[in-house]
């Protein structure tokens, strides 16, 4: 079970940042969107199941949102193993 991580990069399509994780042929997209109220919405989406949100939430900082998305993605891979 090898986990590959595509690092966080600015992404205009999501008005924030995006990253990715891949393991055993499954690809998860990690997204952090900057909200107008100063919060950060994060979500993990399964790349093979269009519109299938694995996890999501709202945090007070971008760093916290990235950590939450990464943790949720890792948990999704562990549950699938």
């Amino acid at each position: 079970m090898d986990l590959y991580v595509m690092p966080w990069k600015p992404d205009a399509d999501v008005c924030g940042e995006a990253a990715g994780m891949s393991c055993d042929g499954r690809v998860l997209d990690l997204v952090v969107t900057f909200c107008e109220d100063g919060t950060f919405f994060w979500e993990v989406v399964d790349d093979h199941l269009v519109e299938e949100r694995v996890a999501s939430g709202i945090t007070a900082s971008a760093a916290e949102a990235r950590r939450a998305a990464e943790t949720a993605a890792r948990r999704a891979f562990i549950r699938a193993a």
Side-chain angles (χ1 to χ4, degrees):
M1 184 170 169
D2 293 325
L3 177 65
Y4 299 95
V5 177
M6 287 67 73
W8 289 97
K9 294 183 180 181
D11 189 330
D13 290 339
V14 298
C15 299
E17 301 176 347
M21 288 188 177
S22 173
C23 184
D24 296 334
R26 184 178 185 193
V27 178
L28 298 178
D29 297 323
L30 290 68
V31 177
V32 171
T33 302
F34 310 124
C35 302
E36 289 183 17
D37 65 359
T39 60
F40 297 83
F41 175 76
W42 64 269
E43 65 183 332
V44 178
V45 180
D46 191 321
D47 198 43
H48 294 295
L49 303 170
V50 178
E51 301 301 320
E52 181 68 26
R53 185 177 294 150
V54 174
S56 64
I58 297 174
T59 62
S61 73
E64 185 181 357
R66 287 189 294 269
R67 284 191 302 271
E70 291 167 1
T71 299
R74 285 186 184 97
R75 286 182 179 154
F77 287 128
I78 290 168
R79 281 192 305 269

